[in-house]
Amino acid sequence: MTRIDAKFAELSAAGKKAFVSYVMAGDPDFDTALEVVKGLPAAGVDIIELGLPFTDPMADGPTIQLAGQRALDAGMTLERTLQLAAEFRKGDDTTPIVLMGYYNPIYNRGVDKFLTDAKAAGIDGLIVVDLPPEEDDELCIPAQAAGLNFIRLATPTTDDKRLPRVLQNTSGFVYYVSITGITGAAEAEAGDVGPEVARIKAATDLPVIVGFGINTPEKARNIASISDGAVVGSAIVSQIAAGKPVEEVLAFVKSLSDGAHAA
């Protein structure tokens, strides 16, 4: 059982929904990002999604793209991202970390070395948005063999014919992308998302978490009420981009987690 599996078991036993937060590793610099990440569990975050900076983030909107560029400009690399996770783990051995990014940096490092190093750094799961199920032998299957969850995205365009393939080797949870398009491009509506979540849950026993387009406590509550939890990324990254002090960023995160947990 991974930390992700244990967290969902704990939440289920308590009758609670999950709140997942995304931050870009190294944005705006290593030390500030580490301070934010260290503060997330106390702000009510159940699972941390840690963005891996990359030069060509095709699934991300301007907010996340710029966060990645700030991190790269500050010298962030895959190696430094794993170091950040390892630093976090020195004080927290229970909060799950999902590394979210693109395959190129992992491929360049070498899959076997990456998986060994990620596991040692305390990474629990991977979301690699540019590896479809047809490429499962590349990373998904080796990752699961190494004890890491491989989390797949389902979208509004994932029809009933495609869904079984998407779910085939997924573990940890299913990430439902509530809108078509890039991150931060539109707002999620529970009325639209609810039937899609129900359709996915009918096909899997895994928790279904909804992300994209959630930017207020009310939206987090509404989305969590029709799913197993909510993910917020761009709205939090925008606070960091605005130069807000870490304590203000974490207070904003707390308001969102309170919303999701009220569902």
Side-chain angles (χ1 to χ4, degrees):
M1 178 178 282
T2 66
R3 291 185 185 94
I4 296 170
D5 300 328
K7 176 57 70 175
F8 278 113
E10 173 192 323
L11 289 167
S12 178
K16 291 177 65 178
K17 301 301 180 73
F19 180 69
V20 182
S21 70
Y22 172 97
V23 293
M24 179 67 72
D27 176 31
D29 56 67
F30 184 96
D31 291 340
T32 304
L34 179 58
E35 189 179 353
V36 170
V37 172
K38 283 182 174 180
L40 292 175
V45 172
D46 298 302
I47 298 173
I48 297 168
E49 280 184 12
L50 190 61
L52 175 61
F54 181 52
T55 54
D56 189 22
M58 61 185 180
D60 294 308
T63 299
I64 303 295
Q65 285 190 26
L66 289 169
Q69 194 58 55
R70 288 191 298 271
L72 292 169
D73 289 346
M76 208 63 184
T77 60
L78 173 54
E79 179 70 28
R80 295 278 282 159
T81 300
L82 295 179
Q83 287 175 8
L84 191 150
E87 284 296 317
F88 171 82
R89 278 282 171 246
K90 291 178 180 179
D92 185 316
D93 195 41
T94 57
T95 304
I97 299 176
V98 175
L99 190 65
M100 185 171 187
Y102 298 84
Y103 185 46
N104 183 275
I106 296 169
Y107 177 80
N108 283 341
R109 191 179 188 85
V111 167
D112 291 345
K113 178 172 173 50
F114 165 75
L115 291 173
T116 298
D117 294 346
K119 186 75 174 172
I123 301 297
D124 303 290
L126 303 174
I127 299 176
V128 183
V129 299
D130 55 346
L131 272 183
E134 287 73 15
E135 305 296 337
D136 274 355
D137 289 341
E138 284 281 325
L139 181 62
C140 174
I141 302 301
Q144 309 231 56
L148 296 172
N149 290 126
F150 198 89
I151 296 140
R152 190 83 68 191
L153 305 181
T155 75
T157 60
T158 306
D159 61 19
D160 289 340
K161 182 179 180 181
R162 180 66 173 168
L163 184 60
R165 190 68 181 266
V166 169
L167 296 174
Q168 185 174 2
N169 291 315
T170 299
S171 65
F173 60 92
V174 179
Y175 187 137
Y176 179 68
V177 177
S178 64
I179 58 172
T180 54
I182 53 177
T183 57
E187 296 189 0
E189 299 296 340
D192 298 329
V193 173
E196 289 299 298
V197 170
R199 182 171 68 93
I200 296 167
K201 288 184 71 66
T204 181
D205 292 331
L206 292 171
V208 180
I209 307 301
V210 177
F212 284 48
I214 303 167
N215 50 24
T216 67
E218 181 182 18
K219 276 193 165 44
R221 182 176 68 252
N222 291 343
I223 291 297
S225 72
I226 51 87
S227 66
D228 295 303
V231 185
V232 179
S234 294
I236 296 169
V237 172
S238 292
Q239 298 277 312
I240 296 169
K244 299 283 184 71
V246 170
E247 57 268 22
E248 287 189 27
V249 174
L250 294 174
F252 177 65
V253 174
K254 180 69 162 59
S255 73
L256 296 165
S257 70
D258 286 347
H261 290 146

